[in-house]
Amino acid sequence: MTRVYGTGAYDFKRHHVAEYPVDLSHQLGDKPVEAKPGAALPSSITLSEIQLDQLTMIAAANWSRVGDAKEKKPAFEPELVKRIYETELRVKEGQRKTVPLQRVMILEVSQYLENYLFPNFDAETATFEHVMSMILMVNEKFRENVAAWVCFYDRKDAFKGFLGRVLRLKSERELSIAEKTNYLVFMINAFQSLEDEIVSETVLRLASFQSWHSLSYGRFQMELGLNSDLIKKWRRMVKREAAKHGESFDPSTALEVQFLRNLIEEFLEILDSKVLPPNHGVNGEVQLLDVNGMEHVDDACVLYCERFVEFLIDLLSQLPTRRYSRPLVADVAVVPKCHLSALYRHEKGKLFTQLVDLLQFYEGFEINDNVGKQLTDDEVLQCHYDRVQSFQLLAFKKIPKLKELALANIGSIDNRNDLTKRLSVLSPEELKDLVCSKLKLISNNDPWSSRVDFLTEVMVSFFKRQQSQKEKINALPLYPNELIMWDESLVPSINYSGEGCLALPKLNLQFLTLHDYLLRNFDLFRLESTYEIREDIQEAVPHLNACINNEGETVFRGWSRMAVPIKEFKMSEVKQPNIGEVKPAAVTAEITFSISSYKAQVRSEWNALKEHDVLFLLSIRPSFEPLSAEEGAKASVPQKLGLQYVRGCEIIEVRDEEGTLMNDFTGRIKRDEWKPPKGELRTLTVALDTAQYYMDVSNTAAKGAEDVYGTFNILMRRKPKENNFKAILESIRDLMNEYCIVPDWLHKTFLGYGNPSAAQWTNMPDLLETVDFKDTFLDAEHLRECFPDYQVFFASPDGTENMDPTPPFRVRLPKTVKSSTNALPGNKKAKMSSMSDVPIEDSDMEKEKFVVEAYTPPDPGPYPQDQPRQNSVRFTPTQVGAILSGIQPGLTMVVGPPGTGKTDTAVQILNVLYHNCPSQRTLIITHSNQALNDLFEKIMQRDVPARYLLRLGQGEQELATDLDFSRQGRVNAMLVRRLELLSDVERLARSLQLPEDVGYTCETAGYFWLLHVYSRWEQFLAACNKNKNKQSFVKDRFPFKEFFSDSPKPVFTGESFEKDMRAAKGCFRHLKTVFQELEECRAFELLKSTADRANYLMTKQAKIVAMTCTHAALKRKDFLQLGFKYDNLLMEESAQILEIETFIPMLLQRQEDGYARLKRCILIGDHHQLPPVVKNMAFQKYSHMDQSLFTRFVRLGIPYIELNAQGRARPSIAQLYNWRYRELGDLPCVKQDVIFNKANSGFCFEYQLVDVPDYHDRGESAPSPWFYQNEGEAEYVVSVYIYMRLLGYPANKISILTTYNGQKLLIRDVINRRCAPYDFIGPPSKVTTVDKFQGQQNDFILLSLVRTRFVGHLRDVRRLIVAMSRARLGLYVFCRRSLFEQCYELQPTFQLLLQRPDRLALNFNETTPHTERHVEETGPVHLVSSVDEMISIYQQLYAVKFHQYVAPSIQQTSMSGQDPMDADVPVSADGVPDDTPHVSNSELEDNGRKVDSSVENHSNGVTEMETSLDNAHVVPESNSDQVRMEE
């Protein structure tokens, strides 16, 4: 049976990898220096320095397993661990870092944790330093985002002992601030890993119901009083504790009970007394601290406080920990104490302040903690009123001084100022009595309880009316402004290393409510967009070269492609606010600018601006004198640029110099009236953000601030593809204002709660009892193979057994399939117990009967176009299981490893779903246009009528088909088809001797069908029933015989009544289809406008609608307005789509009668390959924004089906990555086909790791941060490529991949010099990065891994899997062996690679692309020793093959005295030797962004020689022929 994973132990690990900035001051080739203990290594440390480092030497001697693995290591020394910890892992007090990062990295890379610390860990005897060292190593793994808990799985008991020691660690000795912070980071990481059972079992006890033993008595009573069910639960728990520990046991002393409270109290003590010097602390008296007078802040304590608030936010933002920890946080009044702390108001406390505000938001989150239900706005308001009213009653009865407050209306006392003023009438003692004794908001014993400001703050926090989430998000501007853009704690720069925390929400496994989910995604998406906009501004503005002229005005001496000076800006309209709102309903402005200074290309880009495009208004005012070097170093980016304000706007309309509308798609200008734009001035009418405008105007009125809107002098645009953020943010905001949006069956699963299998089809109502599989099975044996655990019984339509069944098959699902999670086709049943008394040979008797009806499909019609298109793929049992699950209602998750036929499975699900549920509509979503087009092209090959297919979005033009599947194309196709069908109707009327005008319109054709066609058919059927014994009756009396006289074959034979009757029904079915299509065309006849026709097609006609996730998010509002409906959602590449971009496509339709229409959600992807792209590292690493919904569902343990047979690569190459999957095997084709069994000509092995030493004394280099290059690998890779081309390998069958953009550009540069000038070599199919090549494949892959110091982001196993799985026939990996072989995460792959020589093995006996050598035979082996030897090898091969041929270009080059194929010295385009280092030319231009498209996607025209290697077993007649073909 198909194994459905996810129901057992959790199996997914998070793998995001950190990258580090490069210190350019430390140049390569410096003499290695032995590091002193504790010294921090420079970040650009070389491998030789690492090898000479003391830590590396200690590792090699004691635990490292690189090199001679059999060498016996010394016994474990606790003193060594202690010495390493004391000398290498501690930092000086007061620093804003907790560990010496480079030292920890070296230890972690050497597998200190896996090979030394944990194998020798004993919970009873381990020292403090041993435990802390393990904590640091786990933290470092999380910082680098590699799997942290994997190495603990082998010794789970020891790991529990380790966690126990961690919890008791603070009682062993006093920790320094840095150690406390490291401890805290470990706890944060543990609470972020609740899906790992070995972790959650221990840490969840810390935030359990038991922890309420530590609550103050008043808070305890209050919480139990709010929920009567908790009282029963508490009593049961107390009884259990008494039974377990005895009556005398005091539960409040237990470690788990006090752990959280002790942590909080320790934090408050540090916040109050250690962040700032003691003289600023408060001892009994209330002091207002002079913030500006504080001379010193302890940075280490500030970091600790920030991390602690992050820890509390994490606890309160997940329901399992929130439920019992929130009362504890409220009881100690953490938020009020933070508000009153000196750090909250200190300039160094900005991040702390933002984190405290986030903590306050989550403490008061709109949710019922006990049942996990989201509170509506009305419920929140009612709860607030009840709370204040109760307080007023208490004040009226017990506190005479507060009588005025008791009688006031609630609106006048539920804000900070009024409440503070009314409470000021109480003395300090009376206020304390009110807060601590009467209201019991805090304990009498609280050390802060005598402070009036604290007591007032507690009252305000409790009784103030909080702004609702909806109000908050509706008041937020959608466009970022300059304040947010350069706030490092909100939008960190790219060099975020993962050491500190940020004021950002995190995407966890679970979310409190849908509003919480949407809010976190809204914030992160908005900030990620802000980061990208900021980068664009920083790139565009410097080109303008702004300065101040003598009149004091800003002038621009330069020009920028993306930014233009504004000639005139004026506000045109500010509409009155809508009822109940304060911001204006709309704000519009007019902007005039000139395009006179631009050349034609750039001018056309500005002329292409259209409605809904987003632009940015900038106010630039540089300083009068240039900043000095010292000022420039301290200045922020806006100060350097002279940037004052940034505001976004959206275009309403564009006009040229004469006022004529441009680029109008609203229909106001007809196509035939369109004229090219006149003049050089352009005027835009734009809509400004109303919320931002209200804030700006209020600020000007209240504080006398400058009028922002009078200062704009630059208009900036962005690339259209990158500028869709506003529509997506609007979609999220609209969703937050809607109610109950996810289907009930998916709601809990989506938030991460309840039974993980709840949404699986076996637990859903309304299952399809009988499934018509159509062309899924190729024959009866295929069906038996797919259901091996059932006794398949083939039945005829009359119920008798069918001895010779042929497809199609209709299957009646047995009860076990319907009720069992694991009972799907392809799942192997557990082996029978040896205790079983049932003999093996009788075991078949236990198999349940599986009834399959083999039916004969009706005759489709006499014409070739009537015949259904058939599937030819022999689906595996697992694929059949996925198809069966996909066509049933509920959530289906399919994990598709590389080459396992994800797309074929998806297409067959759609095909079978269409035929089983013809009235339902299906939406297809993918991440990329390429994947969508692949899917769409395959659907067109199945038996789904083209008129029901629709493709939306921009990528439709790339479809490899003559048919146009866009909305306009489908409308045109329907209109053309209507004319064809009406001519058929006229021909039919002629054949029946009737007037031809019945085919005038679809309506007249419908009447003709009823009156003349259908009536004749009924009369014919009645006559046939009486004359069944006449063989030729059907042939003689068929009423439409003349119409079908043009069929390719005679319709009737006259030999058998039954055969002729079947043919007659086929003919009638053809006619019925004609008139059915005409009925569908009738709407297009009635609707006159193109827009109406297109909308009708999308909302009513199309059964399968396909689009990308971006298009869905952009057009959601339009879909809702048009009433778009769909029943099923199929999402391909879903592991590559951001959470929110997966969520929005589920909600492109309005609810029907309060429930969601969506019946099926099919997610297909592979979480072991690369995740969605997030450009800002901080959002990726800190907030986990690159987590896809698919990956989160897998982490939650939701059942999934994993396809288990690959048909892409040689089985030996597949072994390099199939270890990452459960049972990934090979399809028969990759074992049997000749192409997979023949060796790669000229190479001894089909895959190999090639060790590349330093080239010209250089390994990796980084001309700019993160822009890594490796000249030696680039030269080696290109040399091997040239060697392959000279042997005759087709260029379009070779791709060169690398892991960094810098190396990609360098390789392209080398190819442009070495290969592009010569037609017989030319560029390869693609030179690109591994990340960009995901989802693609080629026969031969040359892979450069670049790095020689640290492994870098290839430590992300997902990137490794993508890199290893792109090749079909040959994979050659060029890297530094000594670095990659010691990387723990990559071991399974590199152990296999290193079983072969690490020098490239060539076979010189083969000089053509074809060989008869078997893949397992090496032939004579020549090991290449270096890059230079490889270069000389291809030069010799060139000389042998081309000694008679000299190309004109080569002759010219040779005249300069340079051998054309000599690569020792780089040759520039004009043949002059070039001794500059290999920093790519393209990189030097345009800041590394220019891409040579000729190399990027070049595929050489394939000559006879360059035929597909699918024919590689055909041997050419002779070598001379080969040379001639090459020429």
Side-chain angles (χ1 to χ4, degrees), residues 1127-1159:
D1127 304 271
N1128 314 306
L1129 173 67
L1130 183 143
M1131 203 168 290
E1132 250 264 53
E1133 299 184 315
S1134 53
Q1136 289 177 256
I1137 305 177
L1138 289 172
E1139 275 255 7
I1140 195 64
E1141 291 187 332
T1142 314
F1143 184 57
I1144 291 174
M1146 295 180 184
L1147 309 161
L1148 301 182
Q1149 57 187 341
R1150 295 203 185 279
Q1151 293 178 352
E1152 296 175 347
D1153 305 324
Y1155 76 95
R1157 175 171 170 155
L1158 193 66
K1159 299 175 181 66

Side-chain angles (χ1 to χ4, degrees), residues 1235-1495:
I1235 186 173
F1236 291 106
N1237 285 303
K1238 288 284 163 48
N1240 297 335
S1241 179
F1243 294 91
C1244 297
F1245 301 104
E1246 73 281 18
Y1247 70 81
Q1248 216 182 336
L1249 178 147
V1250 181
D1251 184 28
V1252 183
D1254 281 359
Y1255 183 65
H1256 298 158
D1257 298 324
R1258 288 168 72 98
E1260 71 173 69
S1261 60
S1264 60
W1266 295 280
F1267 197 78
Y1268 293 106
Q1269 298 185 326
N1270 185 320
E1271 188 181 354
E1273 286 183 21
E1275 291 284 4
Y1276 210 147
V1277 165
V1278 175
S1279 300
V1280 173
Y1281 167 70
I1282 294 172
Y1283 171 74
M1284 294 175 76
R1285 292 290 291 124
L1286 291 173
L1287 285 179
Y1289 283 86
N1292 64 338
K1293 294 292 180 185
I1294 307 169
S1295 292
I1296 298 177
L1297 304 184
T1298 178
T1299 45
Y1300 288 92
N1301 274 314
Q1303 184 75 344
K1304 173 189 75 176
L1305 294 173
L1306 176 58
I1307 291 173
R1308 285 186 188 168
D1309 206 38
V1310 177
I1311 282 172
N1312 284 336
R1313 296 159 184 249
R1314 303 266 181 275
C1315 312
Y1318 312 117
D1319 293 340
F1320 54 86
I1321 297 175
S1325 168
K1326 275 196 177 179
V1327 179
T1328 188
T1329 58
V1330 170
D1331 297 46
K1332 287 282 185 189
F1333 205 66
Q1334 180 163 341
Q1336 301 172 61
Q1337 64 183 49
N1338 211 340
D1339 286 358
F1340 302 98
I1341 298 292
L1342 306 177
L1343 174 64
S1344 167
L1345 300 186
V1346 188
R1347 302 301 298 273
T1348 57
R1349 300 173 194 140
F1350 289 113
V1351 173
H1353 66 196
L1354 195 72
R1355 278 193 77 180
D1356 186 336
V1357 179
R1358 297 171 301 183
R1359 186 167 280 103
L1360 176 80
I1361 297 302
V1362 174
M1364 294 296 126
S1365 59
R1366 300 305 98 199
R1368 292 180 68 233
L1369 303 176
L1371 172 67
Y1372 301 96
V1373 182
F1374 299 82
C1375 67
R1376 183 65 56 90
R1377 170 182 177 159
S1378 54
L1379 175 66
F1380 287 93
E1381 71 176 329
Q1382 66 180 344
C1383 182
Y1384 178 73
E1385 289 78 19
L1386 313 182
Q1387 287 288 305
T1389 294
F1390 279 84
Q1391 282 172 1
L1392 268 177
L1393 286 168
L1394 292 170
Q1395 288 173 8
R1396 296 182 172 180
D1398 63 3
R1399 291 193 290 160
L1400 185 62
L1402 301 181
N1403 184 334
F1404 288 157
N1405 288 1
E1406 293 161 345
T1407 55
T1408 72
H1410 312 302
T1411 179
E1412 289 301 306
R1413 177 164 56 90
H1414 192 272
V1415 68
E1416 292 176 4
E1417 299 169 10
T1418 59
V1421 177
H1422 175 84
L1423 297 177
V1424 180
S1425 61
S1426 66
V1427 180
D1428 292 331
E1429 187 188 352
M1430 189 65 228
I1431 291 169
S1432 67
I1433 287 170
Y1434 82 64
Q1435 288 173 351
Q1436 290 167 22
L1437 182 62
Y1438 164 76
V1440 169
K1441 297 199 93 177
F1442 292 93
H1443 62 280
Q1444 295 176 329
Y1445 168 71
V1446 182
S1449 61
I1450 293 176
Q1451 287 178 335
Q1452 291 164 19
T1453 314
S1454 298
M1455 288 175 199
S1456 68
Q1458 178 75 34
D1459 185 335
M1461 300 302 287
D1462 181 7
D1464 287 338
V1465 183
V1467 183
S1468 62
D1470 58 2
V1472 179
D1474 182 1
D1475 56 3
T1476 54
H1478 271 238
V1479 178
S1480 157
N1481 288 342
S1482 16
E1483 167 232 328
L1484 293 172
E1485 287 182 42
D1486 200 12
N1487 200 19
R1489 297 195 177 198
K1490 183 178 168 188
V1491 172
D1492 185 348
S1493 57
S1494 68
V1495 178

Side-chain angles (χ1 to χ4, degrees), residues 583-860:
K583 64 183 183 185
V587 180
T588 55
E590 284 193 359
I591 306 164
T592 305
F593 64 93
S594 170
I595 55 171
S596 59
S597 60
Y598 289 126
K599 290 185 178 177
Q601 173 63 33
V602 182
R603 189 176 288 204
S604 66
E605 290 172 9
W606 282 98
N607 280 337
L609 291 175
K610 60 187 184 301
E611 187 184 11
H612 299 309
D613 280 358
V614 171
L615 302 172
F616 288 89
L617 297 160
L618 312 181
S619 175
I620 308 282
R621 200 184 303 139
S623 57
F624 190 75
E625 292 182 4
L627 297 174
S628 66
E630 190 179 334
E631 289 171 332
K634 292 179 182 176
S636 64
V637 174
Q639 286 169 338
K640 289 176 186 172
L641 298 177
L643 185 66
Q644 305 297 314
Y645 306 108
V646 180
R647 296 291 181 269
C649 61
E650 182 178 342
I651 295 177
I652 298 173
E653 61 181 32
V654 187
R655 295 184 181 273
D656 64 11
E657 199 163 327
E658 295 181 356
T660 310
L661 268 179
M662 294 167 55
N663 305 332
D664 177 61
F665 298 103
T666 59
R668 284 182 288 176
I669 292 185
K670 294 176 182 174
R671 284 190 176 183
D672 51 356
E673 294 175 4
W674 181 86
K675 293 174 184 174
K678 299 283 176 64
E680 292 171 340
L681 290 180
R682 300 287 175 263
T683 303
L684 309 176
T685 305
V686 298
L688 298 169
D689 191 301
T690 54
Q692 182 69 59
Y693 181 79
Y694 175 71
M695 287 161 63
D696 290 334
V697 171
S698 303
N699 200 28
T700 304
K703 300 177 184 175
E706 182 180 25
D707 176 19
V708 175
Y709 298 90
T711 65
F712 296 130
N713 51 9
I714 289 293
L715 181 68
M716 192 190 89
R717 65 187 173 92
R718 299 178 69 219
K719 292 175 185 171
K721 278 189 176 180
E722 299 168 2
N723 211 21
N724 52 29
F725 71 96
K726 180 176 179 278
I728 295 175
L729 290 175
E730 272 183 333
S731 293
I732 303 173
R733 190 167 69 180
D734 292 346
L735 286 170
M736 283 203 70
N737 287 296
E738 292 172 18
Y739 174 71
C740 184
I741 39 186
V742 173
D744 288 341
W745 56 267
L746 189 59
H747 190 271
K748 276 192 175 178
T749 304
F750 185 84
L751 291 177
Y753 303 111
N755 175 10
S757 306
Q760 203 197 5
W761 68 276
T762 49
N763 297 319
M764 296 287 288
D766 308 322
L767 294 182
L768 299 178
E769 300 281 339
T770 303
V771 178
D772 185 350
F773 275 98
K774 286 297 189 185
D775 55 0
T776 304
F777 302 106
L778 303 186
D779 50 50
E781 190 52 40
H782 184 197
L783 188 142
R784 283 196 188 93
E785 288 168 11
C786 293
F787 294 93
D789 298 329
Y790 293 90
Q791 185 184 345
V792 179
F793 175 81
F794 288 99
S796 300
D798 58 4
T800 59
E801 185 170 3
N802 186 338
M803 304 309 291
D804 184 25
T806 56
F809 299 120
R810 203 179 279 126
V811 174
R812 265 172 267 161
L813 299 182
K815 286 179 184 173
T816 50
V817 172
K818 284 184 262 182
S819 60
S820 167
T821 301
N822 291 301
L824 277 176
N827 198 4
K828 294 167 187 164
K829 269 193 178 174
K831 291 178 182 174
M832 291 173 61
S833 167
S834 56
M835 300 294 290
S836 172
D837 296 324
V838 182
I840 302 271
E841 59 269 19
D842 293 339
S843 61
D844 274 354
M845 299 298 290
E846 288 187 10
K847 289 185 177 180
E848 187 175 351
K849 200 180 229 184
F850 193 84
V851 180
V852 179
E853 183 189 327
Y855 68 96
T856 305
D859 188 310

